[in-house]
Amino acid sequence: MKLRNILLFAAVLLFASCSTKKVVQQSQYPKREFRGAWIQAVNGQFSGMDEVQMKRYLTEMLDNLEKVNVNAILFQVRVEGDALYPSDIEPWSRFLTGVQGRSPGWDPLAFMVNECHKRNMELHAWINPYRARTKGTKFVAPEHQSVRNPGNFVEFEGQLYFNPALQSNRDHICRVVTDIITRYDVDGLHIDDYFYPYPVKGKEFNDDRQYPKQGYGSKGEWRRENVNHLIYQLHRTVRELKPWVKFGVSPFGIYRNQASDPAGSKTKGLQCYDDLYADVLFWINEGWVDYCIPQVYWEIGHSAADYEELVEWWAKYASKRPLYIGQDVQRTVKAKDVTSATGNQQEAKYRMQRAQRNIQGSCFWDAASAANNVSGYRDYLATGLYRYPALMPQYGFMDNVAPKKPAGADVIEDAGKKVLVWILDEKAASNVMNAPHRYVIYRFGKGEKLNTADPSRIVEITAQRYYELPADLEGEYTFMVTVLDRMQNESEGVKCKVKL
């Protein structure tokens, strides 16, 4: 498409048939919903792949997820104090080449940022903050922090961890985050459920040397405070670098059992607060995280951790920040539900989730299972729940100022094709937060209500300032174009009538 010519033509149009209109928000489908998927490296799915093979693998996965309107990818870029991108701070990950420190010859993070943005998906860089060596790691590169600063680590059950008690470790983790955010156009920084290691009966994480024994009611209280310091510092680091980048966390699905706290959930499992020393609700209430995705991976009716109980619990207690539910694809499709159209619990789980006003989306574990359509999981989304596109939930505490609407729009002909074009007031954005970032194009038939709250009317979300009309489109239509900023605040629309 001759974009330069299109924009020149658009700039001289009088837009006689075009005007702006504010529309009422209402729809039977959620127009805003987080639809994420975790793409992990830790389980070795990239093993043996060269650059061409891995790019093909990731591209096919993204293509399949795009078909069901997934709008966010959480891509693991730091597994064990390493990097899935070129770094002067930490060595290349062994999960790319099989050997830590060996370069794969390309940049997976840059590739994923570009591929996700081409598909109008957000890319959240997912790091594991504390883990420094997994059980399968046989060789550690000389530039790894555990070699350079061995006194900063604690070994536990065959794995190595950055000691959460040390400020030098917190500073190092924030240097890593600074490097990622300043060098890459990521939309989010994401951490998972690994804080202090998952407990092993009869084994103790050896941090006695740092424990002050005074000023704290217990070692657990002190450990939680150590993690709190990191979360606060990470959030501050992200916000100061790029105020539009979201900082999110995906904690273990049980915060506390009712046996430990009357306000806890009616569950009988491991607890974020008591066992991993992650006080997630404190971070949410203090505003130190921008979204939360608890990993509610269990089945409906699970004896120790019932999905319905936990969804309702998180919706009640974690509503001060956007809340999404982590979904285990494999466990969901294996769980029977005779009342469901799918025969498994997928339909029922989403119904329960969407019934909660304070829950605004989901995230798949893992992306490959959903993309590969395990037991028809993707098909069900395509024909029902995710049938139409969705914008991101709003983050009004970060920015709630909508960008300026387009100055006008019209349909022109270019090389025998009809193209919808629009122009902007180049001085309209007051700052980087509400500068134009994407555009939403809606289409309405003759006589239809111009309701941009209805996502079924979205025909395109694009970074381009034009939209090529389908060649087989006939009749009278009204198109509406709105502007999205980086936070997906949406402008009022400009409309344009056309007869084809």
Side-chain angles (χ1 to χ4, degrees), residues 370-411:
N372 293 336
N373 200 28
V374 172
S375 297
Y377 196 94
R378 196 185 77 227
D379 286 343
Y380 179 69
L381 294 176
T383 57
L385 298 169
Y386 286 8
R387 182 178 178 183
Y388 303 117
L391 306 185
M392 281 290 169
Q394 292 181 291
Y395 295 77
F397 55 91
M398 294 177 70
D399 177 61
N400 62 0
V401 179
K404 299 293 183 180
K405 61 191 177 186
D410 206 347
V411 172

Side-chain angles (χ1 to χ4, degrees), residues 102-236:
R102 179 184 294 172
S103 171
W106 63 293
D107 187 340
L109 177 53
F111 174 78
M112 286 295 288
V113 168
N114 183 58
E115 290 299 313
C116 286
H117 287 175
K118 283 197 308 187
R119 295 166 174 80
N120 295 302
M121 296 174 176
E122 291 192 349
L123 189 285
H124 294 222
W126 162 22
I127 70 168
N128 183 290
Y130 291 126
R131 188 170 56 207
R133 190 183 68 228
T134 59
K135 289 183 178 180
T137 302
K138 306 301 181 185
F139 169 79
V140 179
E143 62 269 34
H144 194 274
Q145 282 295 303
S146 66
V147 177
R148 292 178 172 176
N149 300 291
N152 288 2
F153 297 83
V154 177
E155 190 161 2
F156 181 76
E157 288 299 287
Q159 301 194 75
L160 196 68
Y161 296 86
F162 286 84
N163 189 338
L166 301 180
Q167 181 60 45
S168 58
N169 282 340
R170 292 192 281 270
D171 291 341
H172 174 78
I173 294 165
C174 287
R175 280 195 295 273
V176 169
V177 168
T178 297
D179 185 46
I180 292 171
I181 290 178
T182 53
R183 291 170 53 208
Y184 296 93
D185 186 21
V186 298
D187 303 284
L189 188 283
H190 184 78
I191 62 175
D192 52 29
D193 56 314
Y194 292 92
F195 299 101
Y196 277 84
Y198 277 72
V200 176
K201 188 175 181 179
K203 304 292 183 178
E204 180 65 23
F205 186 80
N206 186 11
D207 53 1
D208 284 341
R209 190 157 55 104
Q210 289 77 33
Y211 180 42
K213 297 182 177 62
Q214 294 182 356
Y216 295 92
S218 66
K219 181 179 277 191
E221 182 182 328
W222 170 71
R223 286 176 172 174
R224 279 186 290 275
E225 187 68 9
N226 291 334
V227 180
N228 290 345
H229 286 314
L230 175 66
I231 299 300
Y232 172 77
Q233 190 172 343
L234 279 173
H235 188 256
R236 186 181 63 186

Side-chain angles (χ1 to χ4, degrees), residues 2 14 30 34 48 53 74 87 123 199 213 228 447-448 457 484:
K2 300 174 183 178
L14 296 178
F34 185 93
Q53 293 168 326
L74 286 60
S87 170
L123 189 285
K213 297 182 177 62
N228 290 345
E448 289 181 335
R457 302 307 182 190
L484 299 176

Side-chain angles (χ1 to χ4, degrees), residues 262-265 281 284-285 312-320 358:
S265 53
L281 291 192
I284 291 171
N285 291 331
E312 292 177 355
W313 188 93
W314 284 101
K316 180 178 180 180
Y317 289 100
S319 62
K320 287 191 176 181
N358 291 332

Side-chain angles (χ1 to χ4, degrees), residues 18-19 51 64 78 85 132 182 208 231 236 255 277 296 298-299 307 346 355 360 423 474:
C18 303
S19 62
E51 177 182 354
N64 284 331
R78 184 179 190 258
Y85 57 93
T182 53
D208 284 341
I231 299 300
R236 186 181 63 186
Y255 176 71
Y277 307 100
V296 188
W298 302 277
E299 302 86 358
Y307 177 90
Q346 182 182 8
Q360 299 168 287
I423 61 170
E474 296 182 349

